[in-house]
Amino acid sequence: MSAQATKTIFFTSLFILSISVLRSQGALDGHYYDQTCPQAESIIAQAVRNATIYDSKVPARLLRMFFHDCFIRGCDASILLDSTPENKAEKDGPPNVSVRAFYVIDDAKAKLEKACPNTVSCADIVAVAARDVVTMSGGPFWNVLKGRKDGRVSNANDTVNLPAPFLNVTGLIQSFAKRGLEIKDLVTLSGGHTLGFSQCASFLPRLHNFSAVHDTDPSMNPNFATMLKTKCPNPNTNGIAGQVLDSTAAQFDNDYYKQLVAGKGVFLSDQSLYIDERTRAIVESYANDQKLFFSEFASSMIKLGNVGVIEAGEVRLNCRRAN
């Protein structure tokens, strides 16, 4: 094959790929509700703000809600559907028991239905609320692309596909790749743990009987491990005991990455990002440059928000059940 023919095939493939990407993003629009419900984002922001005043855990829970929704069936608000006698829904799957804060979405939806009936999807409310908690906590702002439709299917068994806190980097890369997300997206979106808290069960294996050679995970800072062992003894009888995922848990910042560099990652999956050569340099760059992290986080959130977008679904009247 001639060099000219090879070049032609390459550029043709590149053009087709570009068109494909544009089409996947074209379903969503940052100005989607400008004409039909221009007050949509301000209504959602007010609901988020009101809830956060009374419960400081709301930001972390709403951000996690968005991640967990998009990672199962795409960003279709399937995480909001209630279980029925015939079906156990995603929200009742083990990884989602601590998400809670569903009432915030309910509040925003009720107000939106009064202002703009049958217009704003529950999936878009979750996406906008996730952006709002980041911004309200000191993080970056981005224009959320909107126009998602709501799904009708939600199965608790599907939550086994969520990235587990004990995964290594290879497992994490594979999980993110299935959603069209790259290694940089993995490291960047993991920074959402800057607003996180975990109960002991998710990291207890790192503290006790870690391996035949080490009782405690050797990648963990020894002083940090001692502190965590005090909070989370084995066996642990305190069901609410746990640890914030960085030292400034109410503030969206780059401290999460600084903690990883210091060996103070709480989850094995988090600390692995610093241990593994494929991700270490990105962790270090974010630890050293908060502005860079903020910029990349906004980009990766937009990318995550495009996962599994439904164009032919419905706009639920009540986020807890299909129409």
Side-chain angles (χ1 to χ4, degrees):
M1 182 180 291
S2 69
Q4 181 62 37
T6 301
K7 182 182 291 186
T8 300
I9 291 173
F10 171 78
F11 281 110
T12 300
S13 300
L14 185 62
F15 176 74
I16 293 172
L17 176 62
S18 299
I19 291 297
S20 175
V21 170
L22 285 172
R23 282 177 178 165
S24 69
Q25 294 180 342
L28 302 181
D29 184 349
H31 302 283
Y32 189 82
Y33 297 114
D34 282 5
Q35 301 301 318
T36 57
C37 192
Q39 67 272 53
E41 294 198 33
S42 62
I43 290 174
I44 297 169
Q46 190 59 52
V48 171
R49 192 175 297 109
N50 290 344
T52 303
I53 291 173
Y54 295 102
D55 184 356
S56 62
K57 294 179 181 178
V58 163
R61 287 171 172 168
L62 289 178
L63 186 55
R64 191 178 187 208
M65 185 187 294
F66 177 65
F67 286 161
H68 285 205
D69 183 45
C70 295
F71 257 77
I72 300 297
R73 308 185 68 86
C75 308
D76 68 345
S78 54
I79 195 173
L80 302 180
L81 290 171
D82 282 344
S83 294
T84 66
E86 297 79 28
N87 179 67
K88 187 176 181 181
E90 286 174 34
K91 63 166 56 171
D92 293 319
N96 287 332
V97 171
S98 61
V99 172
R100 302 172 187 168
F102 297 108
Y103 68 92
V104 184
I105 306 301
D106 292 338
D107 180 43
K109 180 59 173 176
K111 291 181 170 61
L112 286 165
E113 282 304 309
K114 288 182 179 179
C116 320
N118 198 28
T119 300
V120 181
S121 69
C122 299
D124 278 345
I125 296 173
V126 174
V128 172
R131 187 275 313 279
D132 288 345
V133 297
V134 169
T135 305
M136 291 177 190
S137 301
F141 175 90
W142 62 94
N143 190 9
V144 176
L145 301 181
K146 297 168 287 289
R148 299 167 188 81
K149 294 298 186 288
D150 299 322
R152 300 178 59 86
V153 178
S154 182
N155 296 311
N157 290 339
D158 290 341
T159 60
V160 299
N161 296 315
L162 290 169
F166 52 78
L167 283 183
N168 59 24
V169 169
T170 296
L172 291 170
I173 289 174
Q174 292 171 347
S175 178
F176 275 66
K178 289 177 182 177
R179 282 85 183 173
L181 301 170
E182 301 172 358
I183 291 178
K184 185 167 73 171
D185 299 311
L186 157 63
V187 181
T188 305
L189 293 171
S190 294
H193 284 167
T194 185
L195 296 178
F197 173 88
S198 173
Q199 294 179 339
C200 296
S202 295
F203 56 87
L204 201 65
R206 299 188 70 200
L207 304 177
H208 308 279
N209 304 313
F210 178 72
S211 70
V213 179
H214 301 282
D215 182 55
T216 304
D217 183 349
S219 70
M220 184 178 284
N221 178 290
N223 293 331
F224 188 59
T226 299
M227 182 272 290
L228 290 182
K229 284 184 175 183
T230 301
K231 289 186 174 184
C232 304
N234 189 27
N236 176 47
T237 58
N238 185 349
I240 62 172
Q243 174 65 22
V244 293
L245 302 184
D246 76 9
S247 62
T248 59
Q251 184 75 17
F252 194 95
D253 55 24
N254 67 336
D255 186 66
Y256 162 82
Y257 298 102
K258 294 178 180 179
Q259 297 301 309
L260 299 188
V261 172
K264 297 180 180 181
V266 176
F267 296 148
L268 179 61
S269 56
D270 286 337
Q271 194 59 53
S272 295
L273 297 176
Y274 185 67
I275 297 171
D276 196 292
E277 292 183 357
R278 290 170 291 181
T279 49
R280 182 171 185 157
I282 305 174
V283 170
E284 291 177 331
S285 68
Y286 292 163
N288 293 325
D289 190 342
Q290 180 167 278
K291 184 178 292 187
L292 173 64
F293 165 52
F294 279 12
S295 174
E296 295 295 345
F297 187 82
S299 297
S300 289
M301 284 290 280
I302 292 172
K303 192 172 179 180
L304 175 60
N306 275 285
V307 172
V309 170
I310 296 177
E311 296 183 56
E314 63 185 21
V315 173
R316 285 182 217 144
L317 301 179
N318 182 326
C319 292
R320 291 177 177 267
R321 58 178 180 267
N323 293 343

